[in-house]
Amino acid sequence: MALGLGAIVCFVFQSPVSSYAQTDPIPKGLQGVEIVEHLNDQIPLNLQFVDQEGETVTLSKYFNKDRPVVLLLGYYSCPMLCDLVLRAALEGLVELGWSPGEKYELVYISINPLETAQLAKLNKQNYMKEYGLPGAMQGWHFHVGSEANIRQIAETTGFGFKYNEERGEYAHAAGIMICTPDGRLSRYLYGIEYEPKTLKLALLEASEGKIGTTLDHFYLYCFQYDASVGRYAPVAMNIMRIGGVFTVLILAIVMTTLWLRDLRRKKENSEGTQP
């Protein structure tokens, strides 16, 4: 199902809103560039791209490692939007504090088949200098590829884009995808701002319990993704259940304490009355 038109052209941006897609017609020039969620669909891990070092790699290199993958599609020569999306994702991940290559992988794929590995390397170096975390060199991956493979990964993920010949730019939406360790699409996040809490919960959810602490997973139990607002919201029923468990535990502790105190008092009285 289409979640609506996002920041569709690189020089105009706005987060996708489901109600927009349902009530307003999409402008003719922007048709086909919305994001269509393909939740739980399998990414073709046999697709080949060229990384920032000029090496041909398959997507399977970044999956099946017990950690989720942050997947971004865009292009390096984009005048505005792609940089904003990637910077927002990196800022959120840096603030999260999780080491790339250890807790998650970040995979960026250019949608422009004319871009080169040298350009990918230059962009990675620039972002590394600005946002580099320990492990980022091994955990952040930038790629270029053939038009056929770009189209296939875009179709699989539902990432629509179109080339504007007049402006020499690509029209596309603003969003990132969170994938499970085995390459299934777990969550779509939209816009040009990604809260660390939202990123953390999306990665925890995608990891299926393979990353994060016990407290993190306890926190995830209390929040579920709300597509209408594009973030995780409290789940009242789960919070009430947890509150009920804590109430029972507190009552049990209080009753046990009172019982033990009463038992001790009776024992003391019994010992005091003995001749």
Side-chain angles (χ1 to χ4, degrees), residues 218 221-222 237-247:
F218 176 79
Y221 179 77
C222 298
M237 184 59 69
N238 288 351
I239 293 175
M240 289 175 64
R241 287 171 180 164
I242 292 171
V245 170
F246 275 115
T247 299

Side-chain angles (χ1 to χ4, degrees), residues 67-174:
R67 50 184 173 264
V69 175
V70 181
L71 177 63
L72 298 93
L73 302 185
Y75 65 110
Y76 304 114
S77 56
C78 177
M80 182 182 294
L81 183 60
C82 300
D83 182 62
L84 290 175
V85 171
L86 182 53
R87 284 180 180 275
L90 293 179
E91 287 172 2
L93 291 167
V94 168
E95 190 171 342
L96 184 59
W98 282 356
S99 296
E102 182 179 314
K103 294 290 189 180
Y104 68 91
E105 304 279 341
L106 184 142
V107 176
Y108 189 97
I109 299 174
S110 172
I111 59 175
N112 184 348
L114 299 181
E115 293 189 324
T116 64
Q118 289 82 0
L119 186 56
K121 185 173 184 176
L122 178 61
N123 275 263
K124 178 176 179 176
Q125 290 174 342
N126 290 337
Y127 290 119
M128 283 285 298
K129 289 178 183 178
E130 191 167 357
Y131 300 108
L133 284 169
M137 183 62 72
Q138 292 74 35
W140 293 355
H141 316 281
F142 290 69
H143 304 80
V144 295
S146 67
E147 183 171 2
N149 286 357
I150 291 169
R151 287 291 176 186
Q152 190 171 349
I153 190 65
E155 289 174 4
T156 301
T157 59
F159 186 89
F161 66 92
K162 184 182 296 185
Y163 185 66
N164 185 314
E165 294 186 3
E166 183 179 347
R167 301 186 64 95
E169 300 172 6
Y170 283 87
H172 62 87

